Amino acid sequence: MKKKSFVAAFGLMVSSVTFAGGFLTNTNQNVAFLRNPARDGAIGIDGVYSNPAGVAFLPQGLHLSLNFQSAYQTREVTSTFAPFKYGVGNQDSGSKLFKGDAKAPVIPSLQAAYNRGRWSYSFNFAIGGGGGKCEFGNGLGSFESQAALLPLLGAGMGINSYSLDSYMRGRQYYYGFQVGAAYKITDNLSAFVGGRLVYANSNYYGYVRNISVNNPAGEGMTGASDLFAGKRDYYVAAAGQLAVAAEQAAAAGNAALAQELLAKAGEAKTAARQMGTLAVATEDVMLNCDQSGWGFTPIIGLDYKIGKFNFGAKYEFKTKIRLENRSANSLSASRLEMLDRYRDGYTVKEDIPALLTLGAQYEILPSLRVMAGYHHYFDKQASQEGGSNELLKSGSREFLAGVEYDITERVQVSAGWQNTYFGLTDEYIKDMSFNVCSNSLGVGLGIRATKRIKVNVAYFHSFYKDYDRVTNDYNGISGTVATAMGQPLADGLLANGALKGGDTFTRTNKVFGLGIDFSF
C-alpha cells in the first residue's frame, strides 16, 4: 500500500506559539521589549538578551530583572475548495473558516548581570521559541479537503455528502539558558562572548476519525471505511466468480465468452483494489508524539558609545537541534507519508536560524531618547525536516523604531514599532504551521518605585497581513485521487478545475507584560 490517503494531510506541525521574532525565535524576552521593541542599541538589564555587550556600561554591582508575560493568539485560515459544500454542517458552502486558539497565560523570564571593574557577567533564562499551546478544535482545511473528495469519487455509488471528526493540538517550548561575559575594552567600546543552551520539548496530539458518507442504501450516515470494505469484498467475490465462469466457458470451447468474462473479472479486480484503497484511507488516524532535544547557540556582541549615540550589535550562530520522537498510536499513522516525521524513534531536524541584530540609540535630550534596529534571520541556512527551509525566498527581516521619554524622575513612558517580513512562498506555507508578515506596536511605562526597584508594565499588539494562495491542485490532492482511483481520473479532475482551491492565512496577537528590575 502506498503511503497516500484521504487523511494524508494529517500532519501536526502546528505548534510554535511565536510571539515576536522569526519562525523559531522569540525576541520578547523582557517586558522592556513590549514597551519598545527597538532595544538592540539601548543599555539596560534587558540587554542581557538584546544587547549583551552594552550591559558592561551599567553601574557597578548586581542587576536583576524578573518578567512575566501573557500572550493570546489566534491562527485563522479561510479555505476555499468546492467539494466542502458536500460536508454535513458546511451549509452548502465551498468556503470554511478554520481557527486555532493559542494561549500562554504565564511566560516567565529572568535576566541577571554582575558588573565589577571592566567585566560584566550575565545570565538569561527565557522561553526562546514556542511558549504555549495551539488548538484547532475542528482540524484544518488540509484535513477536511481529503474527505471532501469522497462525494466526487463515489458519485457513481450514490455518495453525495460526508462528515468527519478532526482535531489537532500542538505544544512547543524552547527553554534557553544563556551565560556570557562582556568586557569594556575602552571607555567607549565593549565586547561580549557567551552561549545559550537550548532544551526543546514538544507534544503533538490529534486525530482524524469517524469519516462517514451518506448511506447509499438508506437514510443517515455510514462509516466510509466499512462501506468501502464491503464494496471491496463484493468485487473480490465477483472477480473470483467471473474467473471461474471464464474457465468453464473456455473448457466448453466458447473462447469469445471466456475473453469477455476475463475482461469483466479484470474490471472487478480493479474496482476491488480501488475500494480497498479507499477503505484503508478512510480508517481512523491518531497521533500522540512527544519530541525533545538539545542545542547550543554561540553568541558574540559589540557595543560602542560616542557622544549622544550608542550602537549595539549581536550575532547568534545557528543552533543545530535534532529532536527525538516518542510516539504512541503510531501504527495508525505509519502508513501516512506526511506523518513519517512523527514515527516513534525518528530524529527530526529543527535548527534555529542564525540571527544578526543591529541597533542604535540617540539622546535628543537628557529625558528623551530615540532608537532604531534591524534583525536578519538566516532561515534558508537552518536545516529543517524535509528541506522546507529551501522553499523560502529569503531569510526573515525586521525593522524597528522606538522612543522613550522620562516624564519625571520616577515615571518613564515608551513606545515602539516593529515590521516583520517573512520570505514566504506558496510551496512553503502550510495551514498546519504558518507565520505572515506583520506590523507590531508596543507601549508601556517604567515606574521607579524606589532607588533600587523599577516596575515595567506594557502591552504589545501585532497587526498581521493576509497571505493568499490559490492552486489548481489543492493540497496536492490529485496524488490522492491517482492512488485511489487512477491517474486518468486525477488528470480529468485537474483539467476541469474540480481540484482548484485556495487559502487565506492570517493571525492575531496580543501580549501583556509585567516586570520588576532590581539594582544592588
Side-chain angles (χ1 to χ4, degrees), residues 36-42 50-51 309-313 357-363 369-375 398-404 415-418:
N36 167 20
R39 297 290 296 173
D40 305 290
S50 58
N51 182 20
F309 281 99
N310 189 76
F311 300 94
T357 70
L358 303 171
Q361 175 179 286
Y362 178 68
E363 186 180 278
R369 295 161 293 281
V370 292
M371 300 91 162
Y374 173 73
H375 300 165
E398 291 180 326
F399 299 90
L400 308 97
V403 60
E404 189 173 70
W417 162 81
Q418 174 178 279

Side-chain angles (χ1 to χ4, degrees), residues 6 19 45 69 145 170 183 211 230 238 251 279 281 296 307 317 328 375 424 431 437 516:
F6 282 99
F19 303 118
I45 182 58
Q69 300 179 47
S145 61
Y183 180 73
I211 299 176
F296 181 75
F317 291 80
H375 300 165
L424 300 171
D431 60 3
C437 301
I516 305 177

Side-chain angles (χ1 to χ4, degrees), residues 401-418:
V403 60
E404 189 173 70
Y405 178 64
D406 300 331
I407 300 175
T408 68
E409 290 185 358
R410 289 184 175 271
V411 181
Q412 182 183 79
V413 63
S414 61
W417 162 81
Q418 174 178 279

Side-chain angles (χ1 to χ4, degrees), residues 429-509:
I429 195 167
K430 298 178 177 66
D431 60 3
M432 295 168 284
S433 178
F434 67 89
N435 262 308
V436 289
C437 301
S438 65
N439 284 284
S440 300
L441 296 176
V443 63
L445 293 172
I447 303 169
R448 189 161 294 283
T450 71
K451 182 179 179 180
R452 300 184 182 277
I453 299 176
K454 180 180 179 181
V455 178
N456 294 295
V457 292
Y459 176 69
F460 186 86
H461 194 103
S462 297
F463 302 88
Y464 290 92
K465 300 178 181 179
D466 290 350
Y467 185 96
D468 297 314
R469 178 183 63 185
V470 177
T471 173
N472 287 326
D473 189 6
Y474 190 56
N475 293 319
I477 219 162
S478 65
T480 302
V481 178
T483 299
M485 306 297 286
Q487 192 64 50
L489 178 59
D491 293 341
L493 291 175
L494 280 174
N496 65 25
L499 303 184
K500 183 177 181 178
D503 299 290
T504 297
F505 303 88
T506 193
R507 297 168 60 134
T508 66
N509 178 48

Side-chain angles (χ1 to χ4, degrees), residues 345-414:
Y346 185 64
T347 301
V348 179
K349 296 179 182 178
E350 194 82 352
D351 290 353
I352 300 174
L355 168 63
L356 173 67
T357 70
L358 303 171
Q361 175 179 286
Y362 178 68
E363 186 180 278
I364 299 175
L365 298 170
S367 60
L368 179 62
R369 295 161 293 281
V370 292
M371 300 91 162
Y374 173 73
H375 300 165
H376 187 90
Y377 300 86
F378 296 85
D379 299 307
K380 287 181 69 68
Q381 290 73 40
S383 297
Q384 298 293 307
E385 191 64 27
S388 60
N389 53 295
E390 298 175 1
L391 300 176
L392 291 164
K393 287 189 295 188
S394 66
S396 306
R397 301 190 296 270
E398 291 180 326
F399 299 90
L400 308 97
V403 60
E404 189 173 70
Y405 178 64
D406 300 331
I407 300 175
T408 68
E409 290 185 358
R410 289 184 175 271
V411 181
Q412 182 183 79
V413 63
S414 61

